[in-house]
């Protein structure tokens, strides 16, 4: 298994710390808004990495945080608090915002067939761990209290710039807009571990600490959660390229200061998805979400397929034309797969050969387009009977997760969706008025049309049957 390591800037042989057990940590979303499809590209790449490692026989444990506190718009110590920004935008509390957008994120993951990590931890549930780590860093003189806040002293870190390869001179005040002068810092690039001096008068999320009432910095959250879940060592840490600096750089500084040794061996970063204007944004232009794509008549898996056609380390430009291309190609692929019969006996040798080829394509630093080529080769190969082809498609789809063998996906177009949502509302109203006969009729009528309603604690959803 070969993997590009952002730390060594080379493709390396992947060797986990403990035999074939892989401890994998992936930075989670800041739940102040919907995820855009750029964010989700990163989660798709991480999903392929996790599932591909399992395909190769590794035993993977993956953890992810949900950032619901401490993340400022600059990714550093300046700018607005993202959660407060979301709360202000919608006239809700920060807790309601966190709850709503966490569910929305998990829903997007489900739609994209991204496996929900085995362990998910909310940042706000782990305050005691951050306090423990910060206290130890102060004791070891890596951190200091100044003017109310606790800062990490980057001059004490071993090779602080090793991951980013940045030049410290670039980070001097005035060179970058995001570096604001903070006189309380010993070095301009020092970062906050614990805020007590909040710039935000209405800061709602705050906790008691040895340094006063306040809240953690964003970076300590991932170091803390990773330590809680995995202990002293981590095999793989992932995120988007924007996380390299300052977030992952600061995670390494903190974790290694706290632990007293090297912490994580492999750092993997996915390149960005951009729109035609450049950077993808949640506030400017069209806010590209999975639901928007669905409204426009795409299946979320069309988008997954679109992502798999390019390498995760190449940046990708999103256009509707290329999504149309992916949608058509996926449809053709599915038609071909679904036309396979169940005839013949499994051909063990061919099966093994192609299974290994697919594994090798993945093991070549997640070459997803080559993995797809292996799939097309299987479908084309006249030496294989349909049974073997089917079994191979099933095998590959444990990683690709394109629902290739699921009977023809019935597409929900926007008018149908509108109609169903209207009926759900009418049924809700009927139930409120205690007209259960009408409520049941609406449900039964929809079922007769192939729409099954599902009542959950969060409300009613549906599936096409
Ligand atoms: P955030 O919710 O902003 O913390 O970001 C969630 C994840 O999405 C992080 O791993 C980011 O690195 C990643 N990310 C942000 N923007 C993009 C983009 N345009 N393309 C791909 N990944 C992104
Ligand atoms: Zn993180």
């Amino acid at each position: 298994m070969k993997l590009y390591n952002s730390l060594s800037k080379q493709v390396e042989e992947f060797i986990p710390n403990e035999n074939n057990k892989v401890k994998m940590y992936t930075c989670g979303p800041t739940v102040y808004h919907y995820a855009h499809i750029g964010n989700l590209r990163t989660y798709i790449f991480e999903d392929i990495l996790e599932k591909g490692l399992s395909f190769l026989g590794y035993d993977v444990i993956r953890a992810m945080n949900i950032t619901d506190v401490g993340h400022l718009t600059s990714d550093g110590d300046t700018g607005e608090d993202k959660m407060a920004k979301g709360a202000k935008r919608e006239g809700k509390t920060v807790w309601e915002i966190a709850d709503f957008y966490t569910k929305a994120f998990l829903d997007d993951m489900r739609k994209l067939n991204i496996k929900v990590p085995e362990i998910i931890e909310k940042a706000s549930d782990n305050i005691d761990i951050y306090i423990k780590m910060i206290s130890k860093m102060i004791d070891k003189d890596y951190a200091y209290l100044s003017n109310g806040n606790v800062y990490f002293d980057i001059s004490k870190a071993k090779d602080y710039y090793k991951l980013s390869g940045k030049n410290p001179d670039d980070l001097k005040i005035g060179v970058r807009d995001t570096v604001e002068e903070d006189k309380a810092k010993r070095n301009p690039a020092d970062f906050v571990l614990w805020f007590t001096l909040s710039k935000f008068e209405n800061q709602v999320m705050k906790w008691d600490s040895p340094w006063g009432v306040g809240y953690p910095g964003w970076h300590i959250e991932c170091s803390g959660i990773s330590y809680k879940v995995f202990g002293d060592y981590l095999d793989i840490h992932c995120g988007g390229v924007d996380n390299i600096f300052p977030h992952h750089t600061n995670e390494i500084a903190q974790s290694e200061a706290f632990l007293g040794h090297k912490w994580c061996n492999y750092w993997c970063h996915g390149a960005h998805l951009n729109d035609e204007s450049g950077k993808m944004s949640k506030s400017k232009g069209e806010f590209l979400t999975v639901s928007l794509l669905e409204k426009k008549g795409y299946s979320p898996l069309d988008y997954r397929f679109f992502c798999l056609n390019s390498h995760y380390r190449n940046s990708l430009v999103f256009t509707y034309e290329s999504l149309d291309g992916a949608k058509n190609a996926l449809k053709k692929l599915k038609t071909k797969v679904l036309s396979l019969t169940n005839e013949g006996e499994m051909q063990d040798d061919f099966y093994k050969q192609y299974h290994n080829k697919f594994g090798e394509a993945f093991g070549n630093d997640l070459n997803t387009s080559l993995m797809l080529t292996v799939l097309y080769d299987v479908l084309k190969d006249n030496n294989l009977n349909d049974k073997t082809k089917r079994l191979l498609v099933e095998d590959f789809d444990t990683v690709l997760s394109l629902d290739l063998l699921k009977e023809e996906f019935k597409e929900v177009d926007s008018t149908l969706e509108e109609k169903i949502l209207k009926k759900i509302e009418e049924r809700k109203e009927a139930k409120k008025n205690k007209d259960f006969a009408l409520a049941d009729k609406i449900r039964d009528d929809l079922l007769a049309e192939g729409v099954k309603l599902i009542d959950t604690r969060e409300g009613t959803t549906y599936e096409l049957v």
Side-chain angles (χ1 to χ4, degrees):
M1 168 75 201
K2 290 199 160 53
L3 210 49
Y4 179 84
N5 189 348
S6 308
L7 201 57
S8 65
K9 323 257 177 304
Q10 274 171 8
V11 176
E12 287 178 20
E13 190 62 37
F14 172 64
I15 305 165
N17 280 304
E18 294 168 46
N19 299 318
N20 76 332
K21 191 169 166 187
V22 179
K23 297 178 175 178
M24 175 175 176
Y25 186 90
T26 52
C27 288
T30 305
V31 284
Y32 72 111
H33 216 325
Y34 292 107
H36 59 50
I37 57 171
N39 301 129
L40 291 160
R41 182 188 185 204
T42 294
Y43 298 106
I44 290 172
F45 129 67
E46 294 163 350
D47 185 55
I48 293 283
L49 178 55
E50 176 183 358
K51 288 174 177 166
L53 287 167
S54 302
F55 183 93
L56 293 182
Y58 290 100
D59 175 13
V60 188
I61 312 170
R62 176 173 165 203
M64 186 177 82
N65 60 297
I66 297 282
T67 297
D68 55 2
V69 63
H71 194 173
L72 310 189
T73 47
S74 68
D75 280 358
D77 301 334
T78 58
E80 256 186 287
D81 176 296
K82 288 193 174 189
M83 296 307 298
K85 193 173 162 180
K88 197 159 79 188
R89 185 184 65 234
E90 299 185 23
K92 292 186 184 158
T93 67
V94 275
W95 302 104
E96 284 166 340
I97 291 289
D99 201 40
F100 180 86
Y101 287 110
T102 301
K103 286 191 184 117
F105 174 71
L106 294 175
D107 211 31
D108 284 345
M109 287 189 83
R110 185 182 54 73
K111 288 178 181 173
L112 288 162
N113 279 349
I114 297 171
K115 181 174 174 276
V116 175
E118 218 172 308
I119 300 152
I120 291 198
E121 288 280 339
K122 276 204 269 182
S124 60
D125 281 346
N126 290 289
I127 303 295
D128 53 334
I129 294 164
Y130 318 140
I131 291 179
K132 175 179 162 175
M133 290 180 83
I134 297 168
S135 304
K136 190 159 172 191
M137 283 189 264
I138 294 176
D139 288 349
K140 290 170 99 176
D141 208 24
Y142 280 101
Y144 57 96
L145 189 65
S146 174
N147 198 21
N149 290 334
V150 182
Y151 296 90
F152 186 93
D153 182 342
I154 64 143
S155 69
K156 302 275 168 64
K158 196 168 154 249
D159 214 356
Y160 177 70
Y161 295 99
K162 69 185 160 201
L163 179 69
S164 69
K166 280 202 181 291
N167 179 348
D169 289 342
D170 292 345
L171 298 167
K172 288 199 174 132
I173 311 295
V175 177
R176 261 183 9 155
D177 298 346
T178 47
V179 185
E180 229 174 50
E181 183 160 18
D182 176 348
K183 295 215 164 60
K185 294 183 181 183
R186 286 182 192 162
N187 312 288
D190 287 355
F191 57 92
V192 176
L193 296 166
W194 187 267
F195 289 95
T196 58
L197 277 188
S198 175
K199 294 190 284 280
F200 320 111
E201 297 141 29
N202 51 355
Q203 181 69 27
V204 180
M205 293 179 163
K206 46 191 170 196
W207 295 265
D208 209 3
S209 84
W211 320 287
V213 173
Y215 61 101
W218 172 43
H219 317 298
I220 192 70
E221 297 172 1
C222 288
S223 287
I225 292 169
S226 164
Y227 174 65
K228 171 178 161 177
V229 176
F230 296 118
D232 284 3
Y233 295 94
L234 193 59
D235 292 302
I236 304 182
H237 195 313
C238 304
V241 278
D242 57 301
N243 286 157
I244 292 178
F245 188 87
H247 186 50
H248 290 166
T249 296
N250 292 350
E251 278 189 48
I252 295 175
Q254 298 158 157
S255 291
E256 297 191 350
F258 170 74
L259 294 166
H261 56 71
K262 187 174 179 187
W263 168 51
C264 174
N265 287 333
Y266 300 88
W267 288 83
C268 301
H269 294 100
H272 274 188
L273 178 81
N274 301 313
D275 57 25
E276 283 175 299
S277 70
K279 203 172 177 288
M280 190 141 296
S281 163
K282 299 191 184 189
S283 51
K284 284 183 230 102
E286 193 174 42
F287 181 4
L288 290 163
T289 59
V290 167
S291 322
L292 179 73
L293 297 188
E294 284 181 298
K295 279 200 193 104
K296 290 183 183 268
Y298 299 96
S299 149
L301 297 184
D302 294 335
Y303 176 64
R304 185 174 173 107
F305 189 64
F306 166 78
C307 291
L308 299 190
N309 276 285
S310 66
H311 195 260
Y312 77 96
R313 283 198 289 120
N314 292 336
S315 55
L316 182 60
V317 175
F318 176 82
T319 63
Y320 283 107
E321 291 75 50
S322 34
L323 187 61
D324 283 336
K327 180 186 162 98
N328 292 334
L330 180 59
K331 201 167 187 169
K332 257 199 196 150
L333 175 62
K334 271 202 77 152
T335 309
K336 187 140 201 161
V337 167
L338 289 169
S339 71
L340 294 172
T341 65
N342 238 332
E343 277 159 25
E345 285 297 307
M346 146 106 141
Q347 298 158 289
D348 284 329
D349 285 352
F350 282 124
Y351 182 91
K352 270 194 207 119
Q353 224 175 21
Y354 275 113
H355 173 90
N356 292 342
K357 253 186 147 176
F358 185 83
E360 276 163 27
F362 165 78
N364 181 5
D365 192 27
L366 278 72
N367 193 336
T368 45
S369 58
L370 191 57
M371 288 154 80
L372 290 170
T373 305
V374 179
L375 171 65
Y376 284 110
D377 288 348
V378 164
L379 295 173
K380 274 197 309 233
D381 191 337
N382 292 329
N383 294 314
L384 301 183
N385 61 31
D386 274 15
K387 173 91 180 177
T388 309
K389 288 185 182 180
R390 252 184 183 271
L391 288 170
L392 280 164
V393 171
E394 197 178 336
D395 184 41
F396 297 175
D397 213 29
T398 59
V399 183
L400 302 172
S401 303
L402 294 166
D403 285 353
L404 293 173
L405 280 156
K406 228 185 201 174
E407 277 310 315
E408 197 49 57
F409 37 56
K410 296 177 187 161
E411 289 165 23
V412 185
D413 66 27
S414 49
T415 38
L416 177 61
E417 166 118 11
E418 257 169 49
K419 185 181 150 187
I420 300 171
L421 295 180
K422 201 164 148 233
K423 289 281 172 199
I424 290 177
E425 270 313 301
E426 281 173 27
R427 180 164 165 264
K428 198 168 144 194
E429 199 55 35
K431 277 189 177 171
K432 216 165 96 191
N433 299 331
K434 303 220 175 329
D435 188 350
F436 297 111
L438 176 61
D440 287 350
K441 184 172 177 323
I442 294 171
R443 185 197 57 206
D444 296 344
D445 287 351
L446 280 173
L447 191 59
E449 289 180 48
V451 180
K452 185 180 168 195
L453 296 188
I454 304 157
D455 293 315
T456 70
R457 270 198 298 176
E458 285 80 41
T460 303
T461 58
Y462 66 90
E463 67 181 24
L464 300 183
V465 288

